[in-house]
Amino acid sequence: VEEKRYALIDKQLSYCQELVTLKYRYSDISAIKKSSGFARSYSLVKYSGVIRAGIADVTDVSYNVSIDGKKIFLTIPEAEILGNEIVKQEVFDENSSIFKPITTKEVFEEIKKSQDETCEDLIAEGLLDEARNYAINILTQFMHSIGFEEVIIK
């Protein structure tokens, strides 16, 4: 019976693979300005993105079951950023000088910089802690559903 339970735990954990526990949608506006003498260019770009956080590989979760089979002790990896993608972007105000044009590369670099800053800010505000707490809740509920009375997570 216990071997079947271990097999069930392993099987269910392997189904998860990546466990996204938190999705955060954000939007921002980036202003890109260039000037040289009288030549001035600017571009305002609005974009939306999604940051996904959670456990990158659930098969890295390790566990031990108490002798009486009522408790399970889990060790789970730290939550991490699993993705930070731009899902929409639009240029909604633009003035370009032929002497100092703004390139597409510069627009993408500015968006990437802003994207990274948003991610860093969210991490500083506790995004990864929140994602880990959700992972703990999900795994705890799962272990209770397969019959464990007590779930202890490190």
Side-chain angles (χ1 to χ4, degrees):
V1 175
E2 285 305 311
E3 286 179 20
K4 285 183 182 179
R5 196 180 220 184
Y6 290 135
L8 179 62
I9 294 167
D10 289 339
K11 184 177 180 182
Q12 293 300 319
L13 289 176
S14 70
Y15 281 155
C16 288
Q17 294 182 11
E18 181 180 86
L19 180 61
V20 177
T21 57
L22 194 64
K23 266 182 154 177
Y24 182 84
R25 297 183 189 283
Y26 63 94
S27 9
D28 202 355
I29 296 175
S30 284
I32 305 157
K33 299 175 186 174
K34 288 174 77 173
S35 63
S36 178
F38 292 110
R40 289 187 172 80
S41 293
Y42 68 87
S43 187
L44 293 177
V45 180
K46 180 179 179 181
Y47 66 93
S48 301
V50 175
I51 293 177
R52 295 176 296 108
I55 306 300
D57 187 354
V58 179
T59 60
D60 287 342
V61 172
S62 60
Y63 65 89
N64 289 307
V65 176
S66 65
I67 294 171
D68 63 6
K70 293 180 180 182
K71 290 185 207 173
I72 186 165
F73 303 86
L74 297 167
T75 303
I76 64 171
E78 292 299 317
E80 58 188 270
I81 300 298
L82 303 174
N84 185 3
E85 292 87 26
I86 297 299
V87 293
K88 181 181 175 186
Q89 71 181 33
E90 62 183 306
V91 176
F92 67 91
D93 193 9
E94 186 173 40
N95 181 16
S96 188
S97 165
I98 60 170
F99 300 108
K100 200 69 173 168
I102 294 173
T103 66
T104 304
K105 180 182 177 193
E106 290 169 319
V107 170
F108 285 124
E109 286 172 351
E110 185 63 31
I111 290 173
K112 176 70 174 137
K113 180 180 153 193
S114 183
Q115 216 181 342
D116 291 345
E117 288 171 2
T118 299
C119 189
E120 288 171 18
D121 290 347
L122 289 170
I123 290 171
E125 292 171 12
L127 177 88
L128 295 179
D129 295 332
E130 192 175 345
R132 181 174 168 78
N133 288 336
Y134 278 121
I136 288 170
N137 290 338
I138 290 166
L139 291 171
T140 298
Q141 292 304 314
F142 168 69
M143 293 303 158
H144 283 303
S145 75
I146 60 172
F148 289 103
E149 293 175 17
E150 189 174 351
V151 180
I152 299 164
I153 298 180
K154 298 182 203 170

